[in-house]
Amino acid sequence: MKSILKITIALGFIMTLTSCWTDKSKRNYQYMPDMYKSVGYETYSQNPNFANGMTTQLPAEGSIARGQVPYDYPNTNEGYEDAKLNSKNPLEVNEENLANGKKMYDIYCISCHGQNGAGDGVLVQRDKFLGVPNYKDREITEGSIYHVIMYGRNMMGSHASQLTAKERWEVTMYVEQLRTELLK
Amino acid sequence: MLLNTTFVKSFKNDLSHIFLHENIVPNNNEKIFLSMKSVKQHSPLSRLIISSLAFLLFFSLNLSAQEGDAANGEKIFKSVCAACHKLDKKLVGPALQGVTERRDQDWLIAWIKDSPGMIKSGDKLAIQVFEENNRLPMTANPQLSDQDIIDVLAYTKGDSAAPVAAASQQAADPGVELGKAVFKANCAACHKLEGKLIGPELLKITDKRELSWLKLWIKDNNALAASGDKLAIEVQASNPAAMTPFPQLSDEDIDNVLKYLAVGDVEQAVASSASSTDQEIFDNPGFGVLPTLALTILAFILLSVIVAATTNKKVVEGEESTPSMLKTMIFNPFLRFLVIIFVLLGGAWMVFGYLFQIDVNEGYQPIQPIAFSHAVHAGDNKIDCQYCHSSAKHSKTSGIPTLNVCMNCHKSISEYNGALFGDYSKEDLDNEIQKIYDAVGWDKDNVAYIEGFEQKPIEWVRIHNLADFAYYNHAQHVTVAGLDCQKCHGPVETMHEMKQFSPLTMGWCIDCHRQTEVDMTENGYYKNIHDQLSKKYGVEKITEAQMGGLECGKCHY
């Protein structure tokens, strides 16, 4: 009889142990978390020192980081026309740039503009985002393409936060290539 | 596609002119010429006649011209205008419902074709419209024909409800399904419902052509053209590829195909989610019933054999007389020994199992402030992972997208129209989208950011978390090594609610570093190293571990 009791106790003990982390909406517990939590503030962490509670603060207006070149055309209609005429691609048109341009296009543009730039991306096909123009229907130059990636236009948003300046020019290059193919 | 529709439209235009000449002009032909002369003479009577005639002519012209094809207009509207306009609501541009009542049709046509030109030319109304809409210039659409624009204007009147109702009535017709089969077998090689293939697109072709004409055309278009049918000759001339005649199709077949073409693919109302639980069970069968049963029986037989073997011995020795089965089992020393061993082993297994899962968060699934669904965005809509998590390619941290990325699409998508998931109703999910607007200060009725709004960040709950003493860099895994996101984060595109897929323990990292080969062909940095290392290890393929990917300092400094 004693052994039955022992077995039951042992089983009960084991069951309790294994069923500890059942609530998956909370973190599992830790054992002596010595250097688990960062002493400094990490990129996206909360920060009690600032009014908006974020560690990520905006840089001072007008400051220029090393290696960055500000884009001088303003986000207005005049700026668009100006960029369309005068803004030129500083990159050399070569395989490598075009390949990376395609890579970036396939990530950031393809959902709406479609693989060939005919305005038939998945979102358009699924009736989610309508009225995406075919590249061949619009008069666009390298300057205007870059300008629109930079600031967005009408319903299209700015993609400057997702692409670096070099990548934006590479995408511009690739879009021009798509457009010439569409115009054939 | 566009070419094709413009052809049809311009043809219709021609037709309407023919009607005009036949119906109105012949009767008044002479009078018109008379009155033309009388204009110079300024006679009151002739002026009255000419003005009334002109009015009549203009009015009838206008009427016939306004008979736009709303269905075609809807298509053009969706592909050209919908980026900035909605019918019933303001978007970037104003709402367009009933615009034909507010503005003159000729002005609208000119405006749609070249609005910047009109503003430059100093058209007062154009400048006024431009000023009213925050000075956002409307894109010029010189590629649209007059008839296209008239169709779009017809669509803005919102009279497309009737054909939709008719379509849904026809949908119940079994002929539609039969027609679909015939279409797939005979027509689909050259035609699609929507979009041009070799032949023109055929959806709603029945609205554009006479049924009887279509029948003749399908049966033998060459014969029809040879018989001198103008329409047939014109259609043939417009398409470089000749259409195969189908004399083998019965009238009934053709009827069915036409029914199908009028309606198109009817969406199945049955939700696929019903079978999802079955599917889950099917995918994860767990431990099968049969093997379990077999094991139990086996264990039971083993047990009885042991009991029988050891007890018999005792009976022979005369220690016990007639014990019950249970009693013999309990007091059987060998069985007790076995049970103790089993319990000890099992206990140890469980204790170790418990100790090993401390601080392992596999399956961690917290409740997020917004019910963001990766399955909808990355799965259904096939948005690339890096569209939102764009810093993965350059940074150690693959960040949570900022709200401007949400707004890139949700400026125009303010309602959820996809398949429902979880326990959410459509209203719930619309509310979830509203939460973005509340955080970022977007007024969805006026389609503009609220001025002076104090934006609040959304407090997402971080799921994947490494201890601070471990260094992990997304960029070198994503950009350099070219790993798929799914390798570490699991099938995220199927998760409505995000959860941790991998344990993220050190053993898990090291396992992968031991097995993964490094691709050294593309990367110039490895040119020399590859030759040296492959000589040192005598292998062609170098794993991460051989590159020093297991050194403490690589990750823990």
Side-chain angles (χ1 to χ4, degrees):
Chain A
M1 275 301 155
K2 258 187 177 174
S3 64
I4 292 183
L5 198 67
K6 275 181 195 159
I7 291 166
T8 329
I9 291 169
L11 276 177
F13 180 56
I14 287 156
M15 294 289 266
T16 343
L17 278 184
T18 45
S19 59
C20 271
W21 192 50
T22 47
D23 184 2
K24 296 278 180 190
S25 68
K26 292 197 174 66
R27 280 194 178 281
N28 201 346
Y29 41 86
Q30 301 172 327
Y31 175 70
M32 294 176 95
D34 260 356
M35 288 163 67
Y36 284 26
K37 277 199 130 186
S38 178
V39 180
Y41 294 105
E42 298 222 327
T43 320
Y44 288 95
S45 63
Q46 293 184 325
N47 194 321
N49 302 319
F50 294 111
N52 60 4
M54 300 197 290
T55 299
T56 343
Q57 296 295 311
L58 290 174
E61 207 164 303
S63 55
I64 300 172
R66 186 171 291 196
Q68 302 284 323
V69 181
Y71 183 68
D72 281 334
Y73 298 93
N75 183 15
T76 57
N77 298 319
E78 292 75 36
Y80 175 80
E81 296 297 337
D82 193 7
K84 192 171 180 175
L85 291 175
N86 302 322
S87 177
K88 290 282 170 279
N89 194 338
L91 299 179
E92 188 195 338
V93 179
N94 59 24
E95 289 281 308
E96 193 188 328
N97 283 338
L98 275 173
N100 200 35
K102 178 178 166 45
K103 214 158 109 189
M104 292 302 131
Y105 181 91
D106 286 351
I107 294 172
Y108 297 100
C109 318
I110 202 166
S111 295
C112 293
H113 288 286
Q115 197 162 14
N116 304 315
D120 55 352
V122 175
L123 289 180
V124 177
Q125 284 166 16
R126 305 190 76 224
D127 267 11
K128 303 280 175 198
F129 203 113
L130 292 167
V132 180
N134 192 323
Y135 284 143
K136 70 176 176 188
D137 287 349
R138 300 280 160 89
E139 201 55 52
I140 48 177
T141 66
E142 55 184 13
S144 75
I145 297 169
Y146 185 90
H147 189 89
V148 170
I149 300 174
M150 184 78 197
Y151 291 125
R153 192 161 168 80
N154 292 340
M155 267 297 141
M156 177 172 155
S158 163
H159 287 66
S161 69
Q162 289 142 290
L163 293 158
T164 63
K166 180 160 180 282
E167 284 163 351
R168 290 195 286 271
W169 280 119
E170 284 166 348
V171 171
T172 304
M173 203 182 284
Y174 182 67
V175 167
E176 281 191 298
Q177 192 192 38
L178 287 179
R179 185 163 186 265
T180 33
E181 270 165 34
L182 281 168
L183 281 172
K184 268 179 198 165
Chain B
M1 195 173 84
L2 197 66
L3 268 178
N4 189 42
T5 49
T6 36
F7 157 68
V8 175
K9 287 311 112 203
S10 62
F11 183 75
K12 262 205 159 174
N13 229 2
D14 292 345
L15 258 188
S16 60
H17 285 308
I18 295 168
F19 280 119
L20 260 182
H21 288 293
E22 278 172 4
N23 293 345
I24 301 159
V25 185
N27 295 340
N28 305 316
N29 215 353
E30 284 170 55
K31 276 185 192 169
I32 287 178
F33 287 121
L34 270 178
S35 53
M36 286 297 207
K37 275 180 205 162
S38 62
V39 172
K40 288 170 197 161
Q41 294 161 8
H42 301 292
S43 135
L45 187 68
S46 58
R47 242 198 256 170
L48 189 70
I49 292 171
I50 189 179
S51 55
S52 55
L53 268 176
F55 178 72
L56 199 69
L57 191 70
F58 175 71
F59 191 63
S60 51
L61 247 178
N62 218 19
L63 258 188
S64 69
Q66 275 180 342
E67 275 176 31
D69 179 354
N72 183 48
E74 180 175 4
K75 208 168 62 193
I76 298 170
F77 184 86
K78 279 189 174 174
S79 70
V80 181
C81 322
C84 302
H85 289 284
K86 277 188 185 173
L87 279 190
D88 50 344
K89 268 195 334 203
K90 182 179 164 14
L91 210 60
V92 173
L96 289 183
Q97 190 124 43
V99 70
T100 44
E101 287 156 25
R102 298 195 293 270
R103 310 252 185 265
D104 185 44
Q105 176 165 316
D106 293 335
W107 184 86
L108 278 173
I109 292 177
W111 169 258
I112 292 169
K113 280 207 171 172
D114 186 13
S115 59
M118 276 180 92
I119 294 164
K120 266 181 206 158
S121 74
D123 184 288
K124 271 186 190 167
L125 186 52
I127 293 171
Q128 186 197 335
V129 171
F130 177 62
E131 297 286 345
E132 274 172 12
N133 287 289
N134 310 325
R135 302 181 60 84
L136 281 172
M138 178 170 141
T139 324
N141 296 292
Q143 80 277 13
L144 293 178
S145 74
D146 281 7
Q147 188 61 42
D148 282 340
I149 295 173
I150 290 167
D151 287 348
V152 171
L153 292 178
Y155 171 65
T156 61
K157 286 179 192 158
D159 52 357
S160 60
V164 169
S168 60
Q169 269 179 1
Q170 277 177 325
D173 195 331
V176 173
E177 279 304 302
L178 295 172
K180 187 177 178 180
V182 177
F183 180 85
K184 278 191 174 167
N186 295 293
C187 321
C190 299
H191 290 282
K192 282 199 290 187
L193 277 190
E194 280 172 289
K196 190 175 154 56
L197 213 58
I198 295 171
E201 72 160 29
L202 291 182
L203 188 61
K204 305 253 156 62
I205 189 85
T206 45
D207 296 349
K208 294 173 202 150
R209 308 250 190 270
E210 291 282 319
L211 281 180
S212 51
W213 183 89
L214 277 173
K215 273 190 197 172
L216 290 172
W217 170 261
I218 293 170
K219 281 221 159 175
D220 193 349
N221 65 84
N222 292 328
L224 189 64
S227 74
D229 186 281
K230 271 187 193 167
L231 186 53
I233 294 169
E234 209 156 330
V235 174
Q236 277 194 342
S238 71
N239 260 309
M243 175 163 150
T244 331
F246 290 93
Q248 76 273 23
L249 292 181
S250 70
D251 279 351
E252 199 187 342
D253 280 344
I254 297 177
D255 270 341
N256 287 338
V257 169
L258 293 179
K259 272 181 203 160
Y260 170 63
L261 292 179
V263 180
D265 283 314
V266 184
E267 278 178 40
Q268 296 292 315
V270 187
S272 58
S273 60
S275 61
S276 70
T277 46
D278 296 346
Q279 191 63 32
E280 234 167 67
I281 292 166
F282 187 73
D283 285 343
N284 311 305
F287 211 60
V289 180
L290 272 181
T292 325
L293 200 68
L295 272 179
T296 321
I297 293 171
L298 209 72
F300 191 73
I301 291 173
L302 199 72
L303 203 69
S304 358
V305 168
I306 292 169
V307 170
T310 44
T311 323
N312 275 349
K313 210 165 120 198
K314 281 170 201 159
V315 173
V316 170
E317 284 163 5
E319 280 171 20
E320 279 177 50
S321 46
T322 49
S324 74
M325 179 72 177
L326 192 68
K327 247 188 176 175
T328 42
M329 271 171 79
I330 289 168
F331 291 105
N332 184 314
F334 183 67
L335 207 59
R336 276 192 197 177
F337 176 70
L338 269 187
V339 164
I340 289 167
I341 296 282
F342 177 78
V343 166
L344 283 177
L345 282 177
W349 178 66
M350 287 191 171
V351 167
F352 275 99
Y354 161 73
L355 291 175
F356 272 110
Q357 59 84 45
I358 291 178
D359 197 27
V360 175
N361 288 294
E362 209 173 335
Y364 174 45
Q365 192 170 27
I367 296 157
Q368 300 286 356
I370 292 181
F372 176 85
S373 164
H374 279 90
V376 170
H377 290 82
D380 292 352
N381 290 321
K382 305 215 162 35
I383 297 172
D384 196 283
C385 305
Q386 288 191 46
Y387 184 86
C388 301
H389 301 285
S390 54
S391 55
K393 60 182 183 289
H394 293 312
S395 164
K396 158 187 187 290
T397 318
S398 169
I400 301 260
T402 43
L403 281 165
N404 67 315
V405 178
C406 304
M407 292 306 291
N408 275 353
C409 298
H410 283 286
K411 263 190 216 167
S412 73
I413 304 171
S414 58
E415 284 174 29
Y416 181 74
N417 289 319
L420 295 177
F421 58 89
D423 300 328
Y424 300 106
S425 67
K426 183 182 165 348
E427 287 72 42
D428 293 342
L429 293 168
D430 287 350
N431 269 338
E432 298 298 317
I433 297 178
Q434 182 61 43
K435 284 183 189 170
I436 305 174
Y437 299 158
D438 292 343
V440 84
W442 176 259
D443 180 350
K444 72 173 172 184
D445 297 321
N446 292 324
V447 198
Y449 287 104
I450 300 163
E451 266 176 55
F453 184 86
E454 199 188 321
Q455 301 183 332
K456 326 177 258 294
I458 291 173
E459 295 180 28
W460 298 103
V461 182
R462 183 175 181 174
I463 297 174
H464 298 77
N465 199 13
L466 286 184
D468 186 43
F469 54 73
Y471 172 85
Y472 176 81
N473 187 330
H474 270 96
Q476 72 189 77
H477 287 85
V478 173
T479 311
V480 182
L483 290 184
D484 283 336
C485 307
Q486 283 84 349
K487 180 142 201 216
C488 302
H489 293 290
V492 175
E493 71 277 5
T494 63
M495 297 179 192
H496 281 299
E497 226 177 308
M498 187 62 193
K499 65 177 177 204
Q500 184 169 331
F501 173 78
S502 306
L504 302 189
T505 54
M506 188 165 144
W508 173 82
C509 292
I510 284 176
D511 263 358
C512 193
H513 277 194
R514 284 210 174 108
Q515 288 158 9
T516 311
E517 283 157 15
V518 182
D519 181 14
M520 302 202 168
T521 51
E522 301 275 312
N523 196 330
Y525 177 78
Y526 289 126
K527 257 181 194 159
N528 289 324
I529 298 175
H530 176 250
D531 295 339
Q532 288 172 19
L533 280 176
S534 60
K535 204 177 278 173
K536 182 178 174 190
Y537 289 105
V539 285
E540 275 303 299
K541 288 173 178 169
I542 309 286
T543 61
E544 187 52 45
Q546 286 164 321
M547 301 250 307
L550 300 187
E551 301 291 330
C552 308
K554 282 268 162 120
C555 307
H556 296 297
Y557 294 101

